[in-house]
Amino acid sequence: MAQAGHPEAAARFAADDARAHWHDQALWFVRLKRDRQARALPEWEALRACAEKIKAHTASRLADYLEEFERNATAAGAVVHWARDAEEHNRIVHGILAARGVTRLVKSKSMLTEECELNPYLEARGIEVVDTDLGERIVQLAHERPSHIVLPAIHKKKEEIGVLFHEQLGTAAGASDPAYLTEAARGHLREKFLAAQAGLTGVNFAVAETGGVVVCTNEGNADMGTSLPPIHIACMGVEKLVPRLADLGVFTRLLARSATGQPVTTYTSHFHGPMAGGELHVVVVDNGRSALLAAPPHRRALSCIRCGACMNTCPVFRRSGGYSYGAVIPGPIGSILSPARDPARHATLPFASSLCGSCSDVCPVRIDLHHQLLAWRGELVAQGRLPAGKRLAMKLASFVFRHPALYRLGGRVGRFLLRHLPRALLYGRWNAWGRQRELPPAPKKSFRELYGRDDG
């Protein structure tokens, strides 16, 4: 399969300068809200440290905790299913629905089902799937995928949503008032909830000690989708486990503050067994997670609680958009997870980072994201996946850096050329770096020469 080609996709997004700046500012606004919440909590760093340790401990005994979760969930009346990969996950979900004659399913946000491509799988078998999170419903109506794991339609302006709703839901032409559009979506989704025969949710956390699963939303759509129809299917990756109920509070305090800059999600729903007269099925999915757990340089990526904070702060993500990553999970964490799944397809993603470390600074579970991105670069180079031009440039730079006299000569030549070459030549096709940026003015003297001056 062809590489995702982040640089080319990012260039297309950045070509719309107004949209790129608007996207940048919208996400930075969320980042600032996150900062205010973090500063308001004196124990913030202690919570992050605690979350990191809980995740590391859980990963070290994952098999034991999964078995404990299954025992307790089964005792509470749930049915636990195990899926090795996306195909098995989709087959299990379809099997549950088909056996009960379900043709209408409502679904709350679940990046796992995006990863498994569940929607097209079910739709190809005659089942209507309606995403009920507002942002996800918007991108579903537009036949797109989420561009952000928490803010799936962040790339769309309200005017574009107004046009989409006019075409799909019959709202007034030219209407773009968010309150009006939201009310229209609410009425549309209410009909879907009332007609649904089953509801499917993701899982934010699963508690081994109790066998319960926890779903966090701001719209209440998961609760509607699991309280009206009698069948609830909850799909979770194996990494969603926490050992004890007492651990849960650490993560719920971190999740919403990191994701959207609010103290807590509006709805934090706990499911322990099915509702009276209903069914609860929990589908636990591996799909490459065990392989990641077995890879010491990258296993900490399994600690991710999908808050999206690393995306909101990443200068590359903010200015290149989620679709430029060509992956279900974009941004810094996606640039670690995606190459683990398909290094040939996603070889450019670990290079879509300035390695500034801002992603690691805001991660609520202290994943060393920028170190892992750097490690991935080394692995991809060792696999021969760096383009020939870049390999040659790196070898040349390495040679120059190891020879001081050559380095000094190169500096003098470079400063001379920067001052005297015609602009058309200086910014020719060969200069990829200068296509969207101005080169800095060349100084008359090098740092070494300035440092050696008597008056310096």
Side-chain angles (χ1 to χ4, degrees):
M1 189 175 289
Q3 289 188 8
H6 179 271
E8 295 78 13
R12 287 194 293 274
F13 182 85
D16 186 342
D17 189 62
R19 184 181 294 275
H21 276 84
W22 166 77
H23 188 266
D24 179 12
Q25 292 166 6
L27 289 174
W28 189 248
F29 174 75
V30 181
R31 157 71 204 264
L32 293 178
K33 286 176 65 183
R34 172 263 174 210
D35 290 351
R36 285 193 289 273
Q37 288 293 333
R39 283 196 297 268
L41 217 57
E43 66 272 32
W44 181 255
E45 290 304 323
L47 281 172
R48 291 179 71 209
C50 187
E52 178 188 14
K53 290 177 181 176
I54 292 170
K55 282 290 186 180
H57 168 75
T58 309
S60 72
R61 294 185 51 199
L62 187 58
D64 295 334
Y65 284 126
L66 284 169
E67 290 178 358
E68 181 181 351
F69 171 78
E70 182 185 33
R71 284 196 302 273
N72 291 325
T74 303
V79 180
V80 178
H81 309 259
W82 301 93
R84 291 183 183 83
D85 52 28
E87 171 63 27
E88 189 169 11
H89 163 266
N90 292 347
R91 195 166 58 244
I92 289 170
V93 173
H94 178 250
I96 296 168
L97 299 175
R100 291 153 182 81
V102 173
T103 57
R104 298 184 299 277
L105 175 73
V106 287
K107 183 164 78 70
S108 67
K109 188 183 292 177
S110 163
M111 293 312 298
L112 175 65
T113 59
E114 293 286 342
E115 172 187 323
C116 296
E117 299 184 333
L118 178 67
N119 284 19
Y121 183 95
L122 294 179
E123 287 163 355
R125 289 157 179 78
I127 296 176
E128 180 195 56
V129 183
V130 176
D131 285 312
T132 57
D133 172 89
L134 179 56
E136 291 220 323
R137 187 56 177 158
I138 290 169
V139 294
Q140 187 182 34
L141 289 172
H143 305 291
E144 297 173 359
R145 301 183 74 167
S147 68
H148 186 292
I149 61 174
V150 175
L151 310 164
I154 188 67
H155 59 290
K156 284 192 172 298
K157 295 185 176 181
K158 60 182 181 180
E159 291 80 10
E160 295 170 322
I161 296 169
V163 172
L164 177 69
F165 277 18
H166 172 64
E167 295 171 352
Q168 300 280 345
L169 306 183
T171 54
S176 61
D177 175 56
Y180 169 75
L181 296 176
T182 302
E183 187 59 31
R186 184 176 290 122
H188 160 71
L189 288 172
R190 184 173 294 125
E191 295 176 6
K192 299 297 182 182
F193 280 124
L194 291 171
Q197 298 162 295
L200 187 146
T201 68
V203 172
N204 290 94
F205 306 102
V207 183
E209 180 183 50
T210 66
V213 296
V214 179
V215 182
C216 303
T217 70
N218 279 323
E219 300 171 17
N221 55 310
D223 302 84
M224 286 283 283
T226 55
S227 56
L228 291 176
I231 304 166
H232 175 192
I233 303 173
C235 300
M236 57 174 273
V238 295
E239 80 282 9
K240 296 294 184 180
L241 273 184
V242 296
R244 304 169 304 164
L245 188 60
D247 300 323
L248 188 61
V250 174
F251 294 97
T252 53
R253 297 185 78 195
L254 288 167
L255 178 63
R257 288 180 169 90
S258 300
T260 54
Q262 60 191 95
V264 68
T265 47
T266 308
Y267 300 89
T268 301
S269 304
H270 299 243
F271 298 93
H272 294 94
M275 63 181 181
E279 300 177 41
L280 171 60
H281 298 264
V282 182
V283 186
V284 186
V285 185
D286 187 302
N287 202 32
R289 288 161 175 78
S290 292
L292 195 62
L293 184 63
H298 306 300
R299 67 172 48 145
R300 288 182 64 187
L302 279 178
S303 299
C304 177
I305 59 172
R306 302 292 192 269
C307 68
C310 62
M311 300 168 200
N312 301 338
T313 198
C314 176
V316 176
F317 181 89
R318 296 199 319 266
R319 293 162 197 170
S320 63
Y323 291 146
S324 65
Y325 290 78
V328 172
I329 300 193
I333 186 64
S335 298
I336 296 167
L337 296 173
S338 299
R341 194 173 304 280
D342 189 343
R345 182 182 179 191
H346 300 293
T348 60
L349 295 188
F351 297 91
S353 169
S354 65
L355 298 182
C356 64
S358 183
C359 49
S360 303
D361 289 342
V362 301
C363 177
V365 288
R366 286 185 166 177
I367 301 174
D368 54 342
L369 290 153
H370 67 299
H371 290 295
Q372 295 205 27
L373 289 169
L374 185 60
W376 257 121
R377 292 184 185 186
E379 292 181 35
L380 292 168
V381 169
Q383 294 174 18
R385 300 189 187 280
L386 200 63
K390 191 170 283 188
R391 285 204 306 273
L392 180 62
M394 291 298 104
K395 285 182 179 177
L396 180 62
S398 173
F399 182 79
V400 171
F401 289 156
R402 283 183 282 115
H403 296 81
L406 193 57
Y407 178 80
R408 287 194 293 273
L409 175 63
R412 289 194 196 97
V413 172
R415 290 193 296 278
F416 176 83
L417 293 177
L418 280 174
R419 284 198 295 270
H420 298 288
L421 275 182
R423 182 177 177 82
L425 186 59
L426 192 59
Y427 287 88
R429 294 175 60 84
W430 64 273
N431 186 359
W433 194 92
R435 285 173 194 163
Q436 295 175 333
R437 289 164 284 208
E438 285 291 314
L439 292 164
K444 293 181 179 177
K445 293 182 179 295
S446 69
F447 173 78
R448 182 186 295 271
E449 290 167 337
L450 291 172
Y451 190 73
R453 282 169 43 178
D454 291 340
D455 61 351

